[in-house]
Amino acid sequence: MPDTITVIRNAHTVIAYDAARGGHAYLRDADVAFDAAGFVHVGGRYEGPFTAEISGRDRMVMPGFVNVHCHSGEEPVSKSLFEDAGTAALWGQAMYEYSTLIEISDDAVEAALTVMLGDLLRSGVTTFVDIAGPHACWLPTLARSGARAYVAPGFREAAWHVEGSHRLDFRWDAARGRDAFARALETVDAARAHPSGRLGGIVAPAQVETCSPDLLQAAAEAARSRGVPITVHAAQTMAEHEELMRRHGLTAVAYLESLGLLGPDLILGHCIFIDSHAWTRQRTAADLDRLAASGTSVAHCPITFSRSGMVLQSLGRYRQAGVNVAIGTDSYPFNMLEEMRMAMICARIAGGSVFDVDTAAVFEAATLSGARALGRSDIGRIARGAKADFSLVDLRHPGMQPLYDPLRNLLHCAAERAVDAVYVDGACVMWEDRPTLVDYDGALAELQAVQDFAVRRLPAHDPRGRPATTLAPLSLPVLS
């Protein structure tokens, strides 16, 4: 209805979608009008009716980011524990031995989810995929936040077990995996039917090596019968790569192709250790062609893996091969702009050239490529008819000054500190660094007690019974 329209008047810069070239472009001194249904005007002066007006002076209007891979659950509680840890015999990867040690109560899950939500919104994310275990507060909290969210309840048949810090074993329980699969589908269906209209579901077998071929194929069939995406962690570590080579003689990408899973509805979590990666022993280069030909998307989350000394080789190379690479934050810091900056830095190091990927390409990966991975053309862009999901960036912020190219300033310098406000479906969900619809500060305060509990419980979950002082020693000694 016209009486619900808001207009942003005379925005200094609008990052608008240019249909003629199929990408983003700058508009200067432009008006943007929107309502709950989407953008109704992008460009010159808006002369139609409206009920609210926002000054665009010294502001940039930017499409909301699409984060295709993150984890709530216990991840926000793990901060500052294992960043310097790793298992040497597993290529330095910390995930297998250390991530399984964290325990949080059901009551703490909502606080952890709220903190993740707040951090994502503060960095301009309007749509995200949350891969986690289903719980009672999941859908209500997501809906209350005002964000556009896809729940991806994970399930698997095998649990990881690290023996003596030198060997990764798998403990299989097929019945338990099938039960988790059934519960996951119930959650996916509930999200799709949620009255908010902003929730969706994704079928998410947890890892390619922890699910049997039958379960992977059943998951794909369930997703495709519902018309929803599929996501699975694949080619994410060398331990997984070697395990699949031992079992099947195939890389993760080739294995999924053999099962019929590759396709435009599949998002591969991380997809680092493909056949052409320098750490692998294949010395072939067929996996990128498989991904590009099938339209399979990759969720690239550089910060978590660079902490363990691992890097995609490289973002520019994947894109040049025709692979749709989108951006995710995986775990903390849940900061999309920092993730984008790291994606650019890692790409240039791995590619050995400043020309491997540029600012525009990384921005596209965080917007249009993410939307494409989710099968959508109405998010990740500012255009008439698209969803009114966007951020307002303060161009007067010190990190944005002096101003020549605002997007470069944002990615290379200012990051989330310059994001003033975030809107989803035309409603303000973040204002002046704080979410407007959930108790972010209250959840932050609660997390300290949650982490204290998790640290006390570390020895109970460690097969060797090691205390926190051994598993997660402080960076510096404490003087008495």
Side-chain angles (χ1 to χ4, degrees), residues 307-329:
R307 278 201 292 256
S308 293
M310 300 169 186
V311 65
L312 193 82
Q313 295 180 339
S314 65
L315 175 56
R317 183 165 162 263
Y318 279 52
R319 284 174 53 87
Q320 290 154 21
V323 180
N324 184 55
V325 183
I327 303 292
T329 55

Side-chain angles (χ1 to χ4, degrees), residues 355-373:
F355 305 114
D356 187 84
V357 68
D358 61 15
T359 300
V362 170
F363 189 78
E364 179 181 282
T367 52
L368 299 175
S369 296
R372 189 177 304 118

Side-chain angles (χ1 to χ4, degrees), residues 82-168:
F82 303 126
E83 290 88 344
D84 294 333
T87 303
L90 299 178
W91 290 269
Q93 174 61 251
M95 176 175 64
Y96 297 109
E97 186 167 11
Y98 296 91
S99 67
T100 58
L101 304 180
I102 300 297
E103 173 192 353
I104 64 174
S105 67
D106 292 341
D107 293 340
V109 169
E110 184 174 357
L113 174 59
T114 300
V115 169
M116 185 193 80
L117 276 165
D119 289 342
L120 292 176
L121 292 172
R122 291 169 61 227
S123 65
V125 172
T126 54
T127 299
F128 63 91
V129 175
D130 186 16
I131 306 167
H135 48 85
C137 65
W138 204 7
L139 301 190
T141 305
L142 292 175
R144 188 166 60 251
S145 75
R148 195 177 307 283
Y150 286 79
V151 296
F155 53 90
R156 62 185 184 178
E157 294 162 302
W160 296 320
H161 172 75
V162 176
E163 183 64 35
S165 295
H166 72 273
R167 187 181 74 242
L168 176 63

